[in-house]
């Protein structure tokens, strides 16, 4: 009887283990094929010349040499950073302000405001880029050029000039994401216990002090999350410049992902595209590490206090 | 005394008015591009090229859409998007909840390590493997095939993480144990007991995944070249890329492609907003 019980338990344990492995295996199999292998193969490919059809030829570090001698490659890195900063910072500040406004007591229609502000996020990036391509049209009938013409400004060629390209693309990013981040901040603010504000009020803190001493410190994890995702998103910017600049992907607005896409699928130069992907990967790792470092330090200094 | 109170009252309402003003400006800024798109979708290209451009809707709502239909298979592309999004959503819900169940309720060796690996894969930027992924797809002969989108789309580490959390907190151990004593296999426990208990998590994750797939562009534009398999996003880009730019037609296509999701969103806006923000805050 006892042995029977024991063996029953044993088979049950075996069964559990078997189903456990079975149930999690699809993820690992699929990830191995479509995630891990491509990642490793990217490194391999970056040492070869390959047009996608004829056999690959080993070229050593030649691909890296080619992209590092290409001024457009550096432009793509610089553009990505500039547009990342131009799109992200205003977005986070405005989102914080909107969240404060929505979180302040006794606001009527707050759900309506929330829905309206969130609306752009539901729109696809492609649609956003197409709409803003017309708003930022080069001709004088483009909306922004028309408004500027009222101030006697000559029509700006938005998708060809250095800063206008970046302003237009950052505006698209800003418009689509600001409401999303507002909602995230709002969720964070609403999870702050009311007692903290009560206590602050009893101690005589003004609204400004409440924001500075209660809301912002309590919001830090959410803020970190938003900065983190916005940074990663900015580094991967592709669709907006791709639609806005058209096939040519001009140097003024090309991003890192757009550069590697164009090399691969525009010029059939898969080797240099892989090399660009490796550099992009390295940059993402460095930025992520910096992000984590800052987050950790901020977390620690809070504990010390 | 009375005067003081009045001053305080006035100051308070001033502040409130400013808050409202800010919110109204924010909402209008959110709405305006939609309105502008609608206006342009109802105008002839000739009218759009006027200075000043039109600001009120015109009469070409149907005319422009007819032009869209003659330039692209609009409903075909919409159907492709719907098919791919639904297939991936259901696939992800099934695979992720199954894995989440295993990670939260079953004991097996190396479970912690495997789960840590799942989390680690979230850190890998997907663009890194773009070129080899394309190579795999061509080798499999899946170029211009929906499998190229669906099969890789089933990999979703976030979904596993999300489902594990939910099942861990939402499904009591006792129920699982009791069912097992009654002789249920692990899969039956999952299917008959866990699944009915985690429907809210399905709704949340389903919305997140559906939106992601519906709006995805980089991967579809890479592997779906043939217009017959274009998703709506890729098809819109092709429409926008034509040599002869007819803005009225382009805006009409964009407008009608945006409307379905907007309607669904407005109907279920609370669920949408809650799902999409919850997904972010919890991770």
């Amino acid at each position: 009887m006892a042995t029977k019980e024991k063996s029953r338990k044993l088979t049950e344990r075996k069964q559990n283990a078997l189903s456990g492995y079975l149930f999690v295996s699809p993820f690992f199999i699929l990830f191995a094929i479509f995630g891990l292998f491509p990642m490793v193969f990217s490194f391999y490919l970056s040492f070869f010349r390959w047009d996608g059809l004829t056999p690959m030829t080993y070229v050593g570090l030649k691909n890296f040499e080619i992209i590092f001698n290409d001024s457009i490659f550096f432009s793509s890195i610089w553009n990505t950073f500039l547009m990342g900063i131009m799109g992200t910072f205003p977005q986070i500040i405005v989102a914080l302000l909107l969240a404060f406004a929505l979180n302040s007591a006794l606001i009527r229609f707050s759900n309506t405001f929330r829905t309206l502000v969130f609306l752009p996020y539901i729109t696809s990036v492609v649609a956003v880029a197409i709409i803003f391509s017309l708003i930022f049209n080069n001709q004088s009938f483009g909306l922004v050029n028309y408004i500027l013409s009222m101030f006697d400004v000559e029509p700006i060629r938005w998708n060809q000039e250095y800063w206008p390209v970046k302003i237009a693309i950052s505006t698209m990013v800003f418009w689509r994401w600001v409401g999303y981040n507002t909602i995230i901040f709002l969720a964070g603010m609403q999870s702050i216990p009311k007692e903290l504000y009560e206590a602050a009020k009893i101690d005589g803190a003004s609204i400004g002090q409440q924001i500075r001493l209660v809301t912002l410190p309590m919001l830090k994890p959410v803020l970190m999350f938003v900065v983190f995702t916005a940074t990663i998103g900015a580094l991967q910017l592709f669709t907006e410049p791709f639609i806005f600049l058209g096939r040519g992907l001009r140097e003024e607005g090309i991003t890192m992902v757009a550069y590697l896409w164009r090399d691969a699928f525009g010029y059939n130069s898969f080797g240099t595209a892989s090399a660009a992907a490796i550099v992009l990967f390295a940059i993402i790792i460095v930025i992520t590490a910096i992000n984590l470092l800052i987050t950790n330090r901020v977390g620690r200094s809070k504990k010390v206090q | 005394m009375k005067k003081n109170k009045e001053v305080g009252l006035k100051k308070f309402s001033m502040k409130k008015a400013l808050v409202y003003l800010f919110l109204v400006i924010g909402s209008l800024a959110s709405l305006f591009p939609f309105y502008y798109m609608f206006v342009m979708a109802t105008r002839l290209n000739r009218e759009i090229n006027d200075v000043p451009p039109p600001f009120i809707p015109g009469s070409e709502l149907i005319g422009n859409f007819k032009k869209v239909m003659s330039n692209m298979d609009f409903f075909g592309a919409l159907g492709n998007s719907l098919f791919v999004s639904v297939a991936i959503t259901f696939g992800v819900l099934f695979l992720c909840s199954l894995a989440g169940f295993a990670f939260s309720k079953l004991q097996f060796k190396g479970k912690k390590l495997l789960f840590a690996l799942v989390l680690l894969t979230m850190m890998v930027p997907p663009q890194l493997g773009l070129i080899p992924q394309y190579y795999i797809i061509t080798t499999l002969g899946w170029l211009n095939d929906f499998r190229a989108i669906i099969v890789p789309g089933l990999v979703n580490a976030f979904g596993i993480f999300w489902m594990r959390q939910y099942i861990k907190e939402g499904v009591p151990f006792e129920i699982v144990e009791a069912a097992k004593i009654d002789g249920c296999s692990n899969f039956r426990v999952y299917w008959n007991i866990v699944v009915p208990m985690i429907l809210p998590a399905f709704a949340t994750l389903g919305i997140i995944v559906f939106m992601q797939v519906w709006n995805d562009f980089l991967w579809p534009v890479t592997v779906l070249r043939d217009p017959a398999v274009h998703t709506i996003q890729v098809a819109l880009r092709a429409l926008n890329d034509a040599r002869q730019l007819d803005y009225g037609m382009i805006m009409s296509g964009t407008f009608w492609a945006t409307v379905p999701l907007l309607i669904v969103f407005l109907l279920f806006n609370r669920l949408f907003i809650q799902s999409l923000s919850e997904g972010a805050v919890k991770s």
Side-chain angles (χ1 to χ4, degrees):
Chain A
M1 185 72 181
T3 47
K4 208 177 166 190
E5 178 80 349
K6 211 175 161 188
S7 73
R8 195 187 74 87
K9 274 231 168 103
L10 205 74
T11 52
E12 200 194 301
R13 249 169 83 187
K14 260 189 191 159
Q15 233 170 31
N16 276 345
L18 196 70
S19 349
Y21 294 127
L22 198 67
F23 293 173
V24 302
S25 60
F27 173 83
F28 288 99
I29 294 169
L30 287 172
F31 181 76
I33 301 171
F34 295 105
L36 187 65
F37 170 73
M39 206 167 71
V40 177
F41 200 62
S42 269
F43 282 92
Y44 178 81
L45 254 182
S46 65
F47 297 106
F48 287 82
R49 187 170 62 225
W50 188 42
D51 61 3
L53 298 166
T54 51
M56 307 169 190
T57 12
Y58 179 77
V59 290
L61 290 170
K62 193 79 192 291
N63 288 327
F64 290 93
E65 222 172 89
I66 291 171
I67 59 169
F68 282 128
N69 280 317
D70 183 2
S71 68
I72 298 180
F73 179 64
F74 288 101
S75 298
S76 80
I77 297 177
W78 184 232
N79 288 343
T80 308
F81 276 100
L82 272 183
M83 290 192 276
I85 292 166
M86 287 163 67
T88 310
F89 274 91
Q91 175 191 317
I92 287 175
I93 290 165
V94 173
L96 264 176
L97 291 174
L98 279 170
F100 276 129
L102 282 168
N103 196 37
S104 54
L106 299 170
I107 285 289
R108 296 178 67 188
F109 314 114
S110 80
N111 194 48
T112 310
F113 284 128
R114 234 164 47 127
T115 308
L116 291 179
V117 167
F118 199 73
L119 220 48
Y121 182 70
I122 301 298
T123 322
S124 75
V125 185
V126 175
V128 173
I130 291 176
I131 299 167
F132 278 81
S133 298
L134 187 52
I135 291 178
F136 284 102
N137 194 285
N138 295 346
Q139 309 297 320
S140 46
F141 64 79
L143 181 66
V144 180
N145 275 346
Y146 171 66
I147 293 170
L148 287 175
S149 75
M150 292 193 266
F151 301 96
D152 287 327
V153 179
E154 290 291 302
I156 292 172
R157 286 172 300 142
W158 287 100
N159 69 12
Q160 288 168 26
E161 292 174 37
Y162 190 80
W163 286 106
V165 166
K166 296 177 178 69
I167 292 170
I169 292 177
S170 316
T171 308
M172 300 176 198
V173 177
F174 175 87
W175 183 76
R176 183 162 187 268
W177 285 93
V178 77
Y180 175 78
N181 286 329
T182 303
I183 299 300
I184 306 277
F185 284 139
L186 187 63
M189 286 176 191
Q190 284 170 345
S191 69
I192 299 172
K194 291 269 184 299
E195 294 82 47
L196 286 178
Y197 290 105
E198 301 287 325
K201 261 185 218 160
I202 290 168
D203 289 346
S206 68
I207 291 187
Q209 282 173 321
Q210 284 175 36
I211 288 175
R212 204 159 44 85
L213 299 170
V214 179
T215 316
L216 284 180
M218 292 296 286
L219 210 57
K220 227 166 226 168
V222 177
L223 193 64
M224 287 300 161
F225 168 80
V226 168
V227 172
F228 199 79
T229 44
T231 316
I232 298 293
L235 290 173
Q236 299 175 350
L237 193 66
F238 169 77
T239 307
E240 291 90 342
F242 189 74
I243 303 268
F244 186 57
L245 301 172
R247 252 174 236 288
L249 281 167
R250 292 178 64 97
E251 187 174 354
E252 289 83 359
I254 195 168
T255 57
M256 288 192 279
V257 177
Y259 180 90
L260 82 87
W261 198 92
R262 188 182 65 161
D263 252 11
F265 305 108
Y267 302 154
N268 285 332
S269 175
F270 290 93
T272 55
S274 297
I278 302 301
V279 177
L280 171 63
F281 184 49
I283 291 175
I284 289 183
I285 286 181
V286 170
I287 301 270
T288 310
I290 293 173
N291 249 327
L292 286 176
L293 209 74
I294 294 172
T295 317
N296 268 342
R297 186 169 288 175
V298 170
R300 218 175 289 143
S301 71
K302 211 169 79 186
K303 261 176 211 156
V304 172
Q305 279 176 358
Chain B
M1 186 71 189
K2 205 184 168 194
K3 213 176 173 185
N4 261 345
K5 203 178 174 186
E6 254 175 28
V7 169
L9 210 78
K10 207 173 173 189
K11 198 178 150 205
F12 176 67
S13 60
M14 239 323 258
K15 237 182 216 163
K16 214 171 160 184
L18 277 176
V19 169
Y20 273 113
L21 185 71
F22 185 56
L23 287 174
V24 168
I25 291 174
S27 305
L28 287 180
S30 278
L31 279 179
F32 180 75
F34 289 106
Y35 175 73
Y36 199 65
M37 166 170 69
F38 174 67
V39 170
M40 294 310 176
T42 61
R43 290 285 185 167
L44 288 171
N45 200 37
R46 176 165 50 77
E47 298 169 315
I48 295 171
N49 290 346
D50 274 346
V51 182
F55 285 98
I56 46 168
S59 56
E60 291 300 310
L61 182 67
I62 295 171
N64 276 336
F65 189 60
K66 276 186 182 151
K67 281 187 215 158
V68 172
M69 298 276 281
S70 66
N71 270 288
M72 69 184 263
D73 181 6
F74 182 83
F75 290 105
L78 213 58
N80 291 343
S81 272
L82 193 67
F83 172 71
V84 169
S85 308
V86 168
I88 293 183
T89 304
F90 277 96
V92 164
L93 290 184
F94 173 66
L95 290 179
C96 290
S97 59
L98 195 62
F101 167 64
F103 278 127
S104 60
K105 299 291 173 205
L106 298 178
Q107 293 306 323
F108 53 95
K109 236 186 195 166
K111 186 168 89 162
K112 277 195 181 138
L113 179 73
L114 287 175
F115 187 65
L117 279 178
V118 171
L119 295 185
L120 194 67
T121 65
M122 280 205 267
M123 307 292 278
V124 180
Q127 288 84 357
L128 177 65
L130 187 72
I131 292 144
Q133 273 166 2
Y134 174 78
Y135 170 70
I136 295 171
I137 294 299
T138 49
T139 311
L140 289 169
W142 286 1
L143 214 59
N144 295 322
D145 188 323
F146 292 131
R147 277 176 292 186
I149 309 285
I150 295 171
V151 179
L154 297 177
V155 183
N156 196 320
F158 168 75
I160 293 180
F161 165 77
W162 175 262
M163 281 298 173
R164 175 185 171 263
Q165 294 301 95
Y166 197 91
I167 295 171
K168 208 173 175 185
E169 288 159 19
V171 181
F173 233 148
E174 296 78 34
I175 296 183
V176 176
E177 284 302 303
K180 274 193 192 159
I181 287 167
D182 288 348
C184 280
S185 70
N186 282 316
F187 188 78
R188 282 199 64 119
V189 172
Y190 161 77
W191 191 251
N192 291 348
I193 299 188
V194 175
V195 167
M197 291 181 80
I198 57 170
L199 294 179
F202 278 158
T204 305
L205 184 63
I207 287 176
I208 295 173
V209 174
F210 188 92
M211 284 269 306
Q212 254 169 21
V213 182
W214 183 271
N215 288 336
D216 195 15
F217 178 71
L218 174 58
W219 184 237
V221 83
T222 306
V223 291
L224 302 178
R225 304 291 178 82
D226 180 359
V229 289
H230 276 177
T231 60
I232 190 72
Q233 311 303 342
V234 181
L236 279 182
R237 182 255 171 175
L239 195 68
N240 187 50
D241 219 30
R243 262 171 241 278
Q244 283 281 320
L245 283 181
D246 179 344
Y247 291 113
M249 179 194 74
I250 294 168
M251 285 296 141
S252 176
T254 312
F255 175 76
W256 290 111
T258 308
V259 163
L261 213 55
L262 275 189
I263 292 175
V264 179
F265 169 65
L266 290 174
L267 285 176
F268 302 103
N269 68 75
R270 273 168 203 269
L271 182 65
F272 260 71
I273 292 178
Q274 198 198 342
S275 302
L276 292 165
S277 59
E278 218 176 280
V281 171
K282 280 223 175 139
S283 65

